[in-house]
């Protein structure tokens, strides 16, 4: 069953591109026509690319790896926070801090700093601090939470990145390229699709368009997580069956060992027995 159809994309306004004079010629394969000075995106190609991207994200989620969502534009912030937060994937909706990926160890130190502040607040030493010190620490904690709170569970580099506007998030895209992290992105007619591994030609300015495509991607990730959980639930049963088989093999081995250890009558013993029988007959 397809994840979306032409009518859904049309209703959400996914087909609206930018003005003709702002277009990027590299997007020509995805442009259907030009109307009133605005490029119209080919929704048939968009639907095919959505399927391709969703299947790839599903497999990544199924493997247990993380996908980082990046969208700092106003129209996408709440959508990303709501839908991506629901599936426990990391996301960035505030300003992208340079080096968030290429200088990842430093970012992890900042995240650990949040944890140490939380631990301090729950300790008796917190009550012994002055009001000024408490205020400074609280402000520092709020600043870290705003920029890094949504990636605090990201313990290692993400396996992929999903970007709503590749032109606006060009710094994040460049860092992902340096680290060979696959980039999934909504690419409008004013952007360069060659910088993205999985291109989704779509209107990246309308909230309805963003919400529809992000919803499809998060549903695909949810499917991958569900399949991973189902496979994990089956593993203990398999181990148990395997254990029974192992016990059966051990039991058979013990029987064979005891059979091998049973005394075997020698030829001399057989001769003595036969001599005794002849004497009795005499």
């Amino acid at each position: 069953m397809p994840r979306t159809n032409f009518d859904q994309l049309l209703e959400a306004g996914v087909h609206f591109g930018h003005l003709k004079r702002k277009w990027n010629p590299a997007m020509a394969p995805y442009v259907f026509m030009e109307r009133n000075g605005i490029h119209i995106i080919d929704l048939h190609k968009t639907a095919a690319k959505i399927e391709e991207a969703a299947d790839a994200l599903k497999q990544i989620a199924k493997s247990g790896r993380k996908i980082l969502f990046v969208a700092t534009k106003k129209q996408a912030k709440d959508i990303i926070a709501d839908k991506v937060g629901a599936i426990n994937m990391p996301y960035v909706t505030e300003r992208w801090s340079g080096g968030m990926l290429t200088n990842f160890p430093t970012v992890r130190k900042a995240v650990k700093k949040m944890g140490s502040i939380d631990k301090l607040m729950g300790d008796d030493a917190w009550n012994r601090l002055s009001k000024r010190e408490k205020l400074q620490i609280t402000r520092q904690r709020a600043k870290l939470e705003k920029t890094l709170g949504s990636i605090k569970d990201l313990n290692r580099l993400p396996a992929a990145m999903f970007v709503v506007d590749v032109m606006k998030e060009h710094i994040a895209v460049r860092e992902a390229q340096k680290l060979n992290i696959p980039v999934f992105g909504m690419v409008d007619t004013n952007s360069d699709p060659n910088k993205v591994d999985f291109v989704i030609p779509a209107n990246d300015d309308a909230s309805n368009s963003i919400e529809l495509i992000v919803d499809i991607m998060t549903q695909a990730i949810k499917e991958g997580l569900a399949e991973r959980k189902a496979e994990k639930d089956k593993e203990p049963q398999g181990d148990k069956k395997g254990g029974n088989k192992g016990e059966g093999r051990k039991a058979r081995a013990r029987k064979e060992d005891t059979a091998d250890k049973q005394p075997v009558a020698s030829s001399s013993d057989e001769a003595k027995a036969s001599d005794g029988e002849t004497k009795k007959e005499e």
Side-chain angles (χ1 to χ4, degrees):
M1 183 178 177
R3 300 179 187 277
T4 187
N5 55 48
F6 187 91
D7 293 335
Q8 283 180 319
L9 296 173
L10 188 67
E11 186 178 352
V14 178
H15 59 293
F16 289 117
H18 280 269
L19 294 171
K20 183 181 178 181
R21 59 185 173 84
K22 291 185 178 181
W23 85 308
N24 190 316
M27 282 294 292
Y30 305 107
V31 175
F32 177 68
M33 63 178 292
E34 179 247 328
R35 180 185 296 170
N36 298 328
I38 297 175
H39 276 129
I40 304 299
I41 297 169
D42 190 342
L43 292 183
H44 291 292
K45 291 184 178 179
T46 299
K49 290 294 184 179
I50 286 174
E51 291 290 333
E52 181 183 348
D55 289 338
L57 289 177
K58 177 181 175 181
Q59 293 304 317
I60 292 172
K62 189 176 178 180
S63 67
R65 295 174 292 171
K66 295 287 187 179
I67 299 137
L68 176 63
F69 284 73
V70 183
T72 60
K73 65 195 313 179
K74 186 178 179 181
Q75 305 93 307
K77 281 185 178 183
D78 294 338
I79 296 170
I80 292 293
D82 181 34
K83 295 189 177 296
V84 179
I87 58 174
N88 295 321
M89 285 291 169
Y91 61 89
V92 175
T93 56
E94 297 300 326
R95 184 183 67 85
W96 177 269
S97 301
M100 192 173 285
L101 294 180
T102 52
N103 197 15
F104 191 70
T106 303
V107 174
R108 285 302 306 162
K109 287 180 182 178
V111 173
K112 288 179 181 178
K113 179 69 176 175
M114 290 171 55
S116 64
I117 291 174
D118 291 339
K119 187 177 179 180
L120 174 63
M121 288 180 173
D123 196 10
D124 294 335
W126 176 255
N127 297 325
R128 293 195 292 269
L129 296 176
S130 64
K131 289 184 179 180
R132 182 183 178 83
E133 289 174 327
K134 287 181 180 179
L135 182 60
Q136 289 176 341
I137 294 172
T138 304
R139 285 178 177 173
Q140 184 183 11
R141 174 66 175 80
K143 186 177 179 180
L144 290 171
E145 177 66 32
K146 185 178 181 180
T147 55
L148 303 174
S150 57
I151 63 167
K152 60 185 177 183
D153 295 329
L154 189 64
N155 298 320
R156 61 182 66 180
L157 287 172
M161 177 189 288
F162 184 93
V163 180
V164 169
D165 186 341
V166 296
M167 195 169 179
K168 182 176 177 58
E169 316 299 346
H170 63 280
I171 299 175
V173 173
R174 196 182 305 131
E175 289 190 26
Q177 287 176 330
K178 284 182 180 179
L179 299 171
N180 295 320
I181 297 173
V183 178
F184 297 71
M186 292 177 64
V187 185
D188 213 328
T189 56
N190 67 333
S191 305
D192 185 4
N194 298 319
K195 295 181 179 180
V196 182
D197 299 286
F198 291 85
V199 179
I200 303 175
N203 179 359
D204 60 12
D205 293 316
S207 57
N208 289 339
S209 174
I210 296 169
E211 184 173 7
L212 175 63
I213 292 176
V214 170
D215 184 61
I216 294 169
M217 298 302 131
T218 52
Q219 288 298 325
I221 292 171
K222 194 181 292 185
E223 290 173 13
L225 294 173
E227 289 183 10
R228 176 177 172 79
K229 186 176 183 299
E231 288 180 359
K232 278 191 172 182
D233 292 341
K234 289 179 182 178
E235 282 179 3
Q237 297 178 1
D239 293 342
K240 195 178 289 183
K241 290 178 182 177
N244 291 338
K245 288 180 181 178
E247 289 174 5
R249 285 195 293 269
K250 288 179 182 178
R252 287 197 296 272
R254 283 197 295 269
K255 286 181 181 179
E256 290 173 0
D257 290 340
T258 53
D260 291 339
K261 291 177 182 178
Q262 286 179 357
V264 180
S266 62
S267 58
S268 59
D269 293 338
E270 291 177 356
K272 289 178 182 178
S274 60
D275 291 342
E277 289 176 359
T278 52
K279 287 179 180 178
K280 284 181 182 179
E281 289 176 356
E282 290 175 356

